[in-house]
Amino acid sequence: MERLALLSHRLEEDVERANSILEQANQIVVLTGAGVSAESGIPTFRGRGGLWRSRRPEELATPEAFEESPELVWEWYQWRRRLIAECSPNAGHQALARLALKKDGVTLITQNVDGLHSRAAQTEAKALNIPDAQAAFPLEVHGAINRDRCSLCDRLTDAVSHFQLGPPQCNDCGGPLRPDVVWFGESLDPIIIGAAQEAALRADVCLVVGTSALVHPAAGLPSMTLRAGGLLIEVNLEATTLTNQAAVSLQGRSASLLPRVIKA
Ligand code: BV8
Ligand code: ZN
């Protein structure tokens, strides 16, 4: 019992330290990964039950895979869209939205394509009676699964909701539609990743939550804050390559830790 009490006391101290670092910071950048959405029921990629456990990313999340087997890739995204449609933002998304709505100088950046941060932004802005939720909408560096993009003319449309065997055709040019996400081997939108890198460079603190920090260039953002003299706070279920560079590393579930760290 003694050891458990000691561990939870230490965690409480770390939560307090993280909270005071955030309170004193002028510029905060937040980077989230699949771990933030795990407690909403959306599988992560590399952890237990992760999406890449049963399939290899190269088979499904690359332009070559889409070229090779458009039906398989399209079906996989349809399956993920249906799953995400049943899920809601959790207390971690809500705490981050409140932080961004109530404190100046906060930039949310997400690798997730599930749109849960944006949904939390809208519900929290309403709950706080803040007319404009914009401040809590994240930079979605890997795109958004609920948007389709034409592979030929880049026309954007809301994701097709009815079941469709294989990718639908673009109404403008007849090209095959694809989810508007960034696949491996594809460049990120230079405006979005540029804004994210600028925010990381000017941040006093980078709060990194629920990411294995393996996928670049997004995974390089926390190091940009560190190199520019900022601090790192990590919230994750397990240790990552960033853990030993963190001023505070909180090991645990983001949906329970974030509301305690942010207390906004
Ligand atoms: C690029 C959208 C320039 C799709 C994703 C060879 C050829 C080409 C490129 C490369 C190459 N070698 C390396 C590269 C670069 C490559 C890369 O980084 N590869 C890695 C894997 C080595 N990057 C790219 O290709 C990028 N583009 O570099 O362009 C270029 C162009 C041409 C040629 C060369 C370079 C594009 C990368 C974007 C890929 N798209 N997603 C889709 O989602 O369908 S990436 C995918 O991984 C997701 O977006 C996800 O967000 C991202 C990162 O994963 P995580 O979010 O970290 O999730 P993960 O499961 O890994 O970890 C979850 C963590 O949460 C764990 O630590 C777990 O412990 C924790 N956790 C779990 N539960 C909880 C929790 N924590 C707290 N609470 C909980 N409850
Ligand atoms: Zn088109």
Side-chain angles (χ1 to χ4, degrees), residues 92-181:
H93 295 104
Q94 288 154 0
L96 290 173
R98 274 200 303 280
L99 175 70
L101 288 166
K102 296 186 79 174
K103 187 175 174 68
D104 290 339
V106 178
T107 305
L108 292 185
I109 302 166
T110 190
Q111 302 170 86
N112 301 341
V113 297
D114 57 35
L116 291 189
H117 284 296
S118 305
R119 287 166 54 188
Q122 283 154 333
T123 50
E124 291 312 301
K126 218 180 253 143
L128 293 169
N129 237 341
I130 296 175
D132 179 4
Q134 199 56 40
F137 281 95
L139 291 167
E140 295 177 316
V141 292
H142 290 160
I145 201 169
N146 55 7
R147 259 196 324 261
D148 281 335
R149 171 156 51 89
C150 172
S151 323
L152 295 186
C153 72
D154 278 342
R155 181 171 179 259
L156 291 176
T157 47
D158 286 341
V160 162
S161 51
H162 59 273
F163 176 77
Q164 168 90 20
L165 191 64
Q169 288 188 327
C170 166
N171 290 335
D172 280 4
C173 75
L177 298 189
R178 53 165 286 178
D180 187 29
V181 298

Coordinates of all heavy atoms in Angstrom, one line a residue, residues 92-181:
G92 N -10.7 14.5 -22.3 CA -9.4 15.1 -22.7 C -9.6 16.1 -23.8 O -9.0 17.2 -23.7
H93 N -10.4 15.8 -24.8 CA -10.7 16.7 -25.9 C -11.3 18.0 -25.3 O -10.9 19.1 -25.7 CB -11.7 16.1 -26.9 CG -11.2 15.0 -27.7 ND1 -11.6 13.7 -27.4 CD2 -10.3 14.9 -28.7 CE1 -11.0 12.8 -28.2 NE2 -10.2 13.5 -29.0
Q94 N -12.2 17.8 -24.4 CA -12.9 18.9 -23.8 C -12.0 19.8 -23.0 O -12.1 21.1 -23.1 CB -14.1 18.4 -22.9 CG -15.3 17.9 -23.8 CD -16.1 16.8 -23.0 OE1 -15.8 16.6 -21.8 NE2 -17.1 16.3 -23.7
A95 N -11.1 19.2 -22.2 CA -10.2 20.0 -21.4 C -9.2 20.8 -22.3 O -9.0 22.0 -22.1 CB -9.3 19.1 -20.5
L96 N -8.8 20.2 -23.4 CA -7.9 21.0 -24.4 C -8.7 22.1 -25.0 O -8.1 23.2 -25.2 CB -7.3 20.0 -25.4 CG -6.3 19.0 -24.9 CD1 -5.9 18.0 -25.9 CD2 -5.0 19.7 -24.4
A97 N -9.9 21.8 -25.4 CA -10.7 22.9 -26.0 C -10.9 24.1 -25.0 O -10.8 25.2 -25.4 CB -12.1 22.3 -26.4
R98 N -11.2 23.7 -23.8 CA -11.4 24.8 -22.8 C -10.1 25.6 -22.6 O -10.1 26.9 -22.6 CB -11.8 24.2 -21.4 CG -13.3 24.0 -21.2 CD -13.7 23.9 -19.8 NE -12.9 22.8 -19.1 CZ -13.2 21.5 -19.2 NH1 -14.2 21.2 -19.9 NH2 -12.5 20.6 -18.5
L99 N -8.9 24.9 -22.6 CA -7.6 25.6 -22.5 C -7.5 26.6 -23.6 O -7.2 27.8 -23.4 CB -6.5 24.6 -22.5 CG -5.1 25.2 -22.5 CD1 -4.7 25.8 -21.2 CD2 -4.0 24.1 -22.9
A100 N -7.8 26.2 -24.8 CA -7.6 27.0 -26.0 C -8.6 28.2 -26.0 O -8.3 29.3 -26.5 CB -7.7 26.2 -27.3
L101 N -9.8 27.9 -25.5 CA -10.8 29.0 -25.5 C -10.6 30.0 -24.4 O -10.9 31.2 -24.6 CB -12.2 28.3 -25.3 CG -12.8 27.5 -26.5 CD1 -14.0 26.7 -26.1 CD2 -13.1 28.4 -27.7
K102 N -10.0 29.6 -23.3 CA -9.9 30.5 -22.2 C -8.6 31.2 -22.0 O -8.4 32.2 -21.3 CB -10.3 29.8 -20.9 CG -11.7 29.2 -20.9 CD -12.1 28.6 -19.6 CE -12.5 29.7 -18.5 NZ -13.0 29.1 -17.3
K103 N -7.6 30.6 -22.7 CA -6.2 31.2 -22.5 C -5.7 31.7 -23.8 O -5.8 30.9 -24.8 CB -5.3 30.2 -21.9 CG -3.9 30.7 -21.5 CD -3.1 29.6 -20.7 CE -1.7 30.0 -20.4 NZ -1.5 31.1 -19.5
D104 N -5.1 32.9 -23.9 CA -4.5 33.4 -25.1 C -3.3 32.6 -25.4 O -2.6 32.1 -24.5 CB -4.2 34.9 -25.0 CG -5.5 35.7 -25.0 OD1 -6.5 35.2 -25.4 OD2 -5.4 36.8 -24.4
G105 N -2.9 32.6 -26.7 CA -1.6 32.0 -27.1 C -1.5 30.5 -27.1 O -0.4 29.9 -27.0
V106 N -2.7 29.9 -27.2 CA -2.7 28.4 -27.3 C -2.9 27.9 -28.7 O -3.9 28.4 -29.3 CB -3.8 27.8 -26.4 CG1 -3.8 26.3 -26.5 CG2 -3.5 28.2 -24.9
T107 N -2.1 27.1 -29.2 CA -2.3 26.5 -30.6 C -2.4 25.0 -30.5 O -1.5 24.3 -29.9 CB -1.1 26.8 -31.5 OG1 -0.8 28.2 -31.5 CG2 -1.3 26.3 -32.9
L108 N -3.6 24.5 -30.9 CA -3.8 23.0 -30.9 C -3.4 22.5 -32.2 O -3.8 23.0 -33.3 CB -5.3 22.7 -30.7 CG -5.9 23.0 -29.3 CD1 -7.4 22.5 -29.2 CD2 -5.1 22.4 -28.2
I109 N -2.6 21.4 -32.2 CA -2.2 20.7 -33.4 C -2.5 19.2 -33.2 O -2.2 18.7 -32.1 CB -0.6 20.8 -33.6 CG1 -0.2 22.3 -33.7 CG2 -0.2 20.1 -34.9 CD1 1.3 22.5 -33.5
T110 N -3.1 18.7 -34.2 CA -3.4 17.2 -34.1 C -3.0 16.4 -35.3 O -3.0 16.9 -36.4 CB -4.9 17.0 -33.8 OG1 -5.1 15.6 -33.4 CG2 -5.8 17.3 -35.0
Q111 N -2.5 15.2 -35.0 CA -2.2 14.3 -36.1 C -3.4 13.5 -36.4 O -3.5 12.7 -37.4 CB -1.1 13.3 -35.6 CG 0.2 14.0 -35.2 CD 1.1 13.0 -34.6 OE1 1.9 12.3 -35.3 NE2 1.1 12.9 -33.3
N112 N -4.4 13.5 -35.6 CA -5.6 12.7 -35.7 C -6.5 13.3 -36.9 O -6.5 14.5 -37.1 CB -6.5 12.7 -34.4 CG -5.7 12.1 -33.3 OD1 -4.7 11.4 -33.5 ND2 -6.0 12.4 -32.1
V113 N -7.2 12.4 -37.5 CA -8.0 12.8 -38.7 C -9.5 12.7 -38.3 O -10.4 12.9 -39.1 CB -7.7 11.9 -39.9 CG1 -6.3 12.2 -40.3 CG2 -7.9 10.5 -39.6
D114 N -9.8 12.3 -37.0 CA -11.2 12.0 -36.6 C -12.1 13.2 -36.3 O -13.3 12.9 -36.1 CB -11.1 11.0 -35.4 CG -10.4 11.7 -34.2 OD1 -10.5 12.9 -34.0 OD2 -9.7 10.9 -33.5
G115 N -11.6 14.4 -36.3 CA -12.5 15.5 -36.1 C -13.0 15.7 -34.7 O -13.8 16.6 -34.4
L116 N -12.5 14.9 -33.7 CA -13.1 15.0 -32.4 C -12.7 16.3 -31.7 O -13.5 16.9 -30.9 CB -12.7 13.8 -31.5 CG -13.3 12.5 -31.9 CD1 -13.0 11.4 -30.8 CD2 -14.8 12.6 -32.1
H117 N -11.5 16.9 -32.0 CA -11.1 18.1 -31.3 C -12.1 19.3 -31.8 O -12.5 20.1 -31.0 CB -9.7 18.5 -31.7 CG -8.6 17.8 -31.0 ND1 -8.4 17.9 -29.7 CD2 -7.7 16.9 -31.5 CE1 -7.4 17.1 -29.3 NE2 -6.9 16.5 -30.4
S118 N -12.4 19.3 -33.1 CA -13.3 20.3 -33.6 C -14.7 20.2 -33.0 O -15.3 21.2 -32.6 CB -13.4 20.2 -35.1 OG -12.1 20.2 -35.7
R119 N -15.2 18.9 -32.8 CA -16.5 18.8 -32.2 C -16.4 19.2 -30.7 O -17.3 19.9 -30.2 CB -16.9 17.3 -32.3 CG -17.3 16.9 -33.7 CD -17.5 15.4 -33.9 NE -18.3 14.8 -33.0 CZ -18.4 13.4 -32.9 NH1 -17.7 12.6 -33.7 NH2 -19.3 12.8 -32.1
A120 N -15.3 19.0 -30.0 CA -15.2 19.4 -28.6 C -15.1 21.0 -28.6 O -15.7 21.6 -27.7 CB -13.9 18.9 -28.0
A121 N -14.5 21.6 -29.6 CA -14.4 23.0 -29.6 C -15.8 23.6 -29.7 O -16.1 24.6 -28.9 CB -13.6 23.5 -30.9
Q122 N -16.7 23.0 -30.5 CA -18.0 23.6 -30.6 C -18.8 23.4 -29.3 O -19.4 24.4 -28.8 CB -18.8 22.9 -31.8 CG -18.2 23.5 -33.1 CD -18.4 22.5 -34.3 OE1 -18.4 21.3 -34.1 NE2 -18.5 23.1 -35.5
T123 N -18.7 22.2 -28.7 CA -19.6 22.0 -27.5 C -19.0 22.8 -26.4 O -19.8 23.4 -25.6 CB -19.6 20.5 -27.1 OG1 -18.2 20.1 -27.1 CG2 -20.4 19.7 -28.1
E124 N -17.7 23.0 -26.2 CA -17.2 23.7 -25.1 C -17.4 25.2 -25.3 O -17.7 25.9 -24.3 CB -15.7 23.4 -24.9 CG -15.3 22.0 -24.5 CD -16.1 21.6 -23.2 OE1 -16.1 22.3 -22.2 OE2 -16.9 20.6 -23.4
A125 N -17.3 25.7 -26.5 CA -17.6 27.2 -26.8 C -19.0 27.5 -26.4 O -19.3 28.5 -25.7 CB -17.3 27.5 -28.2
K126 N -19.9 26.6 -26.7 CA -21.3 26.8 -26.3 C -21.5 26.7 -24.8 O -22.1 27.6 -24.2 CB -22.2 25.6 -27.0 CG -23.5 26.1 -27.5 CD -24.4 25.1 -28.1 CE -24.4 25.2 -29.7 NZ -24.4 24.0 -30.3
A127 N -20.9 25.8 -24.2 CA -21.0 25.6 -22.7 C -20.4 26.8 -22.0 O -20.9 27.3 -21.0 CB -20.2 24.3 -22.3
L128 N -19.4 27.4 -22.6 CA -18.7 28.6 -22.0 C -19.3 29.9 -22.5 O -18.8 31.0 -22.2 CB -17.2 28.6 -22.3 CG -16.4 27.4 -21.6 CD1 -15.0 27.4 -22.2 CD2 -16.3 27.6 -20.1
N129 N -20.3 29.8 -23.4 CA -21.0 31.0 -23.9 C -20.0 31.8 -24.7 O -20.0 33.1 -24.7 CB -21.5 31.8 -22.8 CG -23.0 32.0 -23.0 OD1 -23.5 31.8 -24.2 ND2 -23.8 32.4 -22.0
I130 N -19.1 31.2 -25.4 CA -18.1 31.9 -26.2 C -18.6 31.8 -27.7 O -18.7 30.7 -28.2 CB -16.7 31.3 -26.0 CG1 -16.2 31.5 -24.6 CG2 -15.7 31.9 -27.0 CD1 -14.9 30.9 -24.3
P131 N -18.9 32.9 -28.3 CA -19.5 32.9 -29.6 C -18.6 32.2 -30.7 O -19.1 31.5 -31.5 CB -19.8 34.3 -30.0 CG -19.1 35.2 -29.0 CD -18.8 34.3 -27.8
D132 N -17.3 32.5 -30.6 CA -16.5 32.0 -31.7 C -15.5 30.8 -31.2 O -14.7 31.1 -30.3 CB -15.6 33.1 -32.2 CG -14.7 32.7 -33.3 OD1 -14.8 31.5 -33.7 OD2 -13.9 33.5 -33.8
A133 N -15.7 29.6 -31.7 CA -15.0 28.5 -31.2 C -13.6 28.3 -31.9 O -12.8 27.5 -31.6 CB -15.8 27.2 -31.5
Q134 N -13.4 29.2 -32.9 CA -12.2 29.1 -33.7 C -10.9 28.8 -33.0 O -10.1 28.0 -33.4 CB -12.1 30.5 -34.5 CG -11.2 30.4 -35.8 CD -11.7 29.3 -36.8 OE1 -12.9 29.1 -36.9 NE2 -10.8 28.5 -37.3
A135 N -10.7 29.5 -31.9 CA -9.4 29.3 -31.1 C -9.1 27.9 -30.7 O -8.0 27.5 -30.5 CB -9.5 30.2 -29.9
A136 N -10.2 27.1 -30.7 CA -10.0 25.7 -30.2 C -10.1 24.7 -31.4 O -10.0 23.5 -31.1 CB -11.1 25.4 -29.2
F137 N -10.1 25.2 -32.6 CA -10.0 24.3 -33.7 C -8.6 24.0 -34.0 O -7.7 24.9 -34.0 CB -10.7 24.9 -35.0 CG -12.2 24.8 -35.0 CD1 -12.9 25.9 -34.5 CD2 -12.8 23.7 -35.4 CE1 -14.3 25.8 -34.5 CE2 -14.2 23.6 -35.3 CZ -15.0 24.7 -34.9
P138 N -8.2 22.7 -34.1 CA -6.8 22.4 -34.2 C -6.3 22.5 -35.7 O -7.1 22.6 -36.6 CB -6.8 20.9 -33.9 CG -8.1 20.4 -34.3 CD -9.1 21.5 -34.1
L139 N -5.0 22.6 -35.8 CA -4.3 22.5 -37.1 C -4.3 21.0 -37.3 O -3.7 20.2 -36.6 CB -2.9 23.0 -37.0 CG -2.8 24.6 -36.9 CD1 -1.3 24.9 -36.6 CD2 -3.2 25.2 -38.2
E140 N -5.0 20.5 -38.4 CA -5.1 19.1 -38.6 C -4.0 18.7 -39.6 O -4.2 18.7 -40.9 CB -6.5 18.7 -39.2 CG -7.6 18.9 -38.1 CD -9.0 18.6 -38.6 OE1 -9.3 19.1 -39.8 OE2 -9.8 18.0 -37.9
V141 N -2.8 18.4 -39.1 CA -1.7 18.2 -40.0 C -1.8 17.0 -40.9 O -1.1 16.9 -42.0 CB -0.3 18.2 -39.2 CG1 -0.1 19.5 -38.6 CG2 -0.3 17.1 -38.2
H142 N -2.6 16.0 -40.5 CA -2.7 14.8 -41.4 C -4.1 14.8 -42.1 O -4.5 13.7 -42.6 CB -2.5 13.5 -40.6 CG -1.1 13.4 -40.1 ND1 -0.8 12.6 -39.0 CD2 0.0 13.9 -40.6 CE1 0.6 12.6 -38.9 NE2 1.1 13.4 -39.8
G143 N -4.8 15.9 -42.1 CA -6.1 16.0 -42.8 C -7.3 15.6 -42.0 O -7.2 15.5 -40.8
A144 N -8.4 15.3 -42.7 CA -9.6 15.0 -42.0 C -10.4 13.9 -42.8 O -10.6 14.0 -44.0 CB -10.5 16.3 -42.0
I145 N -10.7 12.9 -42.0 CA -11.3 11.7 -42.6 C -12.8 12.0 -43.1 O -13.3 11.3 -43.9 CB -11.3 10.5 -41.6 CG1 -11.4 9.2 -42.3 CG2 -12.4 10.7 -40.5 CD1 -11.1 8.0 -41.4
N146 N -13.4 13.1 -42.5 CA -14.8 13.3 -42.9 C -14.9 14.2 -44.1 O -15.9 14.9 -44.3 CB -15.6 13.9 -41.7 CG -14.9 15.2 -41.2 OD1 -13.9 15.6 -41.8 ND2 -15.3 15.7 -40.0
R147 N -13.8 14.4 -44.8 CA -13.8 15.1 -46.1 C -13.3 14.2 -47.2 O -12.4 13.4 -47.0 CB -12.9 16.3 -46.0 CG -13.5 17.7 -45.8 CD -12.5 18.8 -46.1 NE -11.2 18.6 -45.8 CZ -10.5 19.0 -44.6 NH1 -11.2 19.6 -43.7 NH2 -9.3 18.8 -44.4
D148 N -13.9 14.3 -48.4 CA -13.4 13.6 -49.6 C -12.6 14.6 -50.5 O -13.0 15.8 -50.5 CB -14.5 13.0 -50.4 CG -15.0 11.7 -49.7 OD1 -14.2 11.0 -49.0 OD2 -16.2 11.3 -49.9
R149 N -11.6 14.1 -51.2 CA -10.9 14.9 -52.1 C -10.8 14.2 -53.4 O -10.5 12.9 -53.4 CB -9.5 15.3 -51.5 CG -8.5 16.0 -52.5 CD -7.5 16.8 -51.8 NE -6.7 16.0 -50.8 CZ -5.6 15.3 -51.0 NH1 -5.2 15.2 -52.3 NH2 -5.0 14.7 -50.1
C150 N -11.0 14.9 -54.5 CA -10.9 14.2 -55.8 C -9.4 14.0 -56.1 O -8.6 14.9 -56.0 CB -11.5 15.1 -56.9 SG -11.1 14.4 -58.6
S151 N -9.0 12.7 -56.5 CA -7.6 12.4 -56.8 C -7.1 13.1 -58.0 O -5.9 13.2 -58.2 CB -7.4 10.9 -57.0 OG -8.3 10.2 -56.2
L152 N -8.0 13.6 -58.8 CA -7.5 14.3 -60.1 C -7.6 15.8 -59.9 O -6.6 16.5 -60.2 CB -8.4 13.9 -61.3 CG -8.3 12.4 -61.7 CD1 -9.0 12.1 -63.0 CD2 -6.8 11.9 -61.8
C153 N -8.8 16.4 -59.5 CA -8.9 17.8 -59.5 C -8.8 18.4 -58.2 O -9.0 19.7 -58.0 CB -10.2 18.2 -60.3 SG -11.6 17.9 -59.3
D154 N -8.6 17.6 -57.1 CA -8.5 18.1 -55.7 C -9.8 18.8 -55.2 O -9.7 19.4 -54.1 CB -7.4 19.1 -55.6 CG -6.0 18.4 -55.5 OD1 -6.0 17.2 -55.1 OD2 -5.0 19.0 -55.7
R155 N -10.9 18.6 -55.9 CA -12.1 19.2 -55.4 C -12.5 18.6 -54.0 O -12.3 17.3 -53.9 CB -13.3 19.0 -56.4 CG -14.6 19.5 -56.0 CD -15.6 19.4 -57.1 NE -16.9 19.9 -56.8 CZ -18.0 19.2 -56.4 NH1 -17.8 17.9 -56.4 NH2 -19.1 19.7 -56.1
L156 N -12.9 19.4 -53.0 CA -13.2 18.9 -51.7 C -14.7 18.8 -51.5 O -15.4 19.7 -52.0 CB -12.6 19.8 -50.6 CG -11.1 19.9 -50.5 CD1 -10.7 20.9 -49.5 CD2 -10.5 18.5 -50.1
T157 N -15.1 17.7 -50.9 CA -16.6 17.6 -50.6 C -16.7 16.9 -49.3 O -15.7 16.3 -48.8 CB -17.3 16.6 -51.7 OG1 -16.4 15.5 -51.8 CG2 -17.4 17.3 -53.0
D158 N -17.9 17.0 -48.7 CA -18.1 16.3 -47.4 C -18.0 14.8 -47.8 O -18.4 14.4 -48.9 CB -19.5 16.6 -46.8 CG -19.5 18.0 -46.2 OD1 -18.4 18.5 -45.9 OD2 -20.6 18.6 -46.1
A159 N -17.6 14.0 -46.8 CA -17.4 12.5 -47.1 C -18.8 12.0 -47.5 O -19.8 12.3 -46.9 CB -16.9 11.9 -45.8
V160 N -18.7 11.1 -48.4 CA -19.9 10.3 -48.9 C -20.4 9.5 -47.7 O -19.6 8.8 -47.1 CB -19.5 9.4 -50.0 CG1 -20.5 8.3 -50.3 CG2 -19.2 10.2 -51.3
S161 N -21.7 9.6 -47.4 CA -22.1 8.9 -46.1 C -22.7 7.5 -46.4 O -22.5 6.6 -45.7 CB -23.2 9.8 -45.4 OG -24.2 10.1 -46.3
H162 N -23.3 7.4 -47.6 CA -23.9 6.1 -47.9 C -22.9 5.1 -48.2 O -21.8 5.4 -48.6 CB -24.9 6.2 -49.0 CG -24.3 6.7 -50.3 ND1 -24.2 8.0 -50.6 CD2 -23.7 6.0 -51.3 CE1 -23.6 8.1 -51.8 NE2 -23.3 6.9 -52.2
F163 N -23.2 3.8 -48.1 CA -22.2 2.7 -48.4 C -21.9 2.7 -49.9 O -22.8 2.8 -50.7 CB -22.7 1.3 -47.9 CG -21.8 0.3 -48.3 CD1 -20.6 0.1 -47.6 CD2 -22.0 -0.5 -49.5 CE1 -19.7 -0.9 -47.9 CE2 -21.0 -1.5 -49.8 CZ -19.9 -1.7 -49.1
Q164 N -20.7 2.6 -50.2 CA -20.3 2.7 -51.6 C -19.2 1.7 -51.8 O -18.2 1.7 -51.1 CB -19.8 4.1 -51.8 CG -19.1 4.4 -53.0 CD -20.0 4.9 -54.1 OE1 -21.1 5.3 -53.9 NE2 -19.6 4.7 -55.4
L165 N -19.4 0.7 -52.7 CA -18.3 -0.2 -53.0 C -17.3 0.4 -53.9 O -17.6 0.8 -55.0 CB -18.9 -1.5 -53.7 CG -17.9 -2.7 -53.8 CD1 -17.6 -3.1 -52.3 CD2 -18.5 -3.8 -54.6
G166 N -16.2 0.8 -53.3 CA -15.1 1.4 -54.1 C -15.3 2.9 -54.1 O -16.4 3.4 -53.9
P167 N -14.3 3.6 -54.5 CA -14.3 5.1 -54.4 C -15.3 5.7 -55.4 O -15.4 5.3 -56.5 CB -12.9 5.6 -54.7 CG -12.2 4.4 -55.2 CD -13.0 3.2 -54.9
P168 N -16.2 6.7 -54.9 CA -17.1 7.3 -55.9 C -16.4 8.2 -56.8 O -15.2 8.4 -56.7 CB -18.0 8.2 -54.9 CG -17.5 8.0 -53.6 CD -16.2 7.2 -53.6
Q169 N -17.1 8.6 -57.9 CA -16.5 9.5 -58.9 C -16.8 11.0 -58.6 O -17.8 11.3 -58.1 CB -17.0 9.1 -60.3 CG -16.5 7.8 -60.7 CD -16.9 7.5 -62.2 OE1 -17.9 8.0 -62.6 NE2 -16.0 6.9 -62.9
C170 N -15.8 11.8 -58.9 CA -15.9 13.2 -58.7 C -17.0 13.8 -59.6 O -17.0 13.4 -60.8 CB -14.6 13.9 -59.0 SG -14.6 15.7 -59.2
N171 N -17.9 14.6 -59.1 CA -19.0 15.2 -59.9 C -18.4 16.1 -61.0 O -19.1 16.3 -62.0 CB -20.0 15.9 -59.1 CG -20.8 14.9 -58.2 OD1 -20.9 13.8 -58.6 ND2 -21.3 15.4 -57.1
D172 N -17.3 16.7 -60.7 CA -16.7 17.6 -61.7 C -16.0 16.9 -62.8 O -16.2 17.2 -64.0 CB -15.7 18.6 -61.0 CG -16.5 19.7 -60.3 OD1 -17.8 19.6 -60.3 OD2 -15.9 20.6 -59.7
C173 N -15.1 16.0 -62.5 CA -14.2 15.5 -63.5 C -14.2 14.0 -63.6 O -13.5 13.4 -64.5 CB -12.7 16.0 -63.2 SG -12.0 15.0 -61.9
G174 N -15.0 13.3 -62.8 CA -15.1 11.9 -62.9 C -14.0 11.1 -62.2 O -13.9 9.9 -62.2
G175 N -13.0 11.9 -61.7 CA -11.8 11.2 -61.0 C -12.3 10.5 -59.7 O -13.3 10.8 -59.2
P176 N -11.5 9.5 -59.3 CA -11.9 8.7 -58.0 C -11.7 9.6 -56.8 O -10.7 10.3 -56.7 CB -11.0 7.5 -58.0 CG -9.8 7.9 -58.9 CD -10.3 8.9 -59.9
L177 N -12.7 9.6 -55.9 CA -12.6 10.4 -54.7 C -11.7 9.6 -53.7 O -11.7 8.3 -53.7 CB -14.0 10.7 -54.1 CG -15.0 11.5 -54.9 CD1 -16.2 11.9 -54.0 CD2 -14.3 12.8 -55.4
R178 N -11.1 10.3 -52.8 CA -10.3 9.6 -51.7 C -10.5 10.4 -50.5 O -10.9 11.6 -50.5 CB -8.8 9.6 -52.1 CG -8.3 11.0 -52.4 CD -6.8 11.2 -52.5 NE -6.2 11.2 -51.1 CZ -4.9 11.2 -50.8 NH1 -4.1 11.2 -51.8 NH2 -4.5 11.2 -49.6
P179 N -10.2 9.8 -49.3 CA -10.3 10.6 -48.1 C -9.3 11.7 -48.1 O -8.2 11.5 -48.6 CB -10.0 9.6 -47.0 CG -9.8 8.3 -47.6 CD -9.8 8.4 -49.1
D180 N -9.7 12.9 -47.5 CA -8.8 14.0 -47.6 C -7.8 13.9 -46.4 O -7.7 14.8 -45.5 CB -9.6 15.3 -47.5 CG -8.7 16.5 -47.7 OD1 -7.7 16.4 -48.4 OD2 -9.0 17.6 -47.1
V181 N -7.0 12.8 -46.4 CA -6.0 12.6 -45.3 C -4.6 12.6 -46.0 O -4.5 12.3 -47.2 CB -6.2 11.4 -44.5 CG1 -7.6 11.4 -43.8 CG2 -6.1 10.1 -45.4

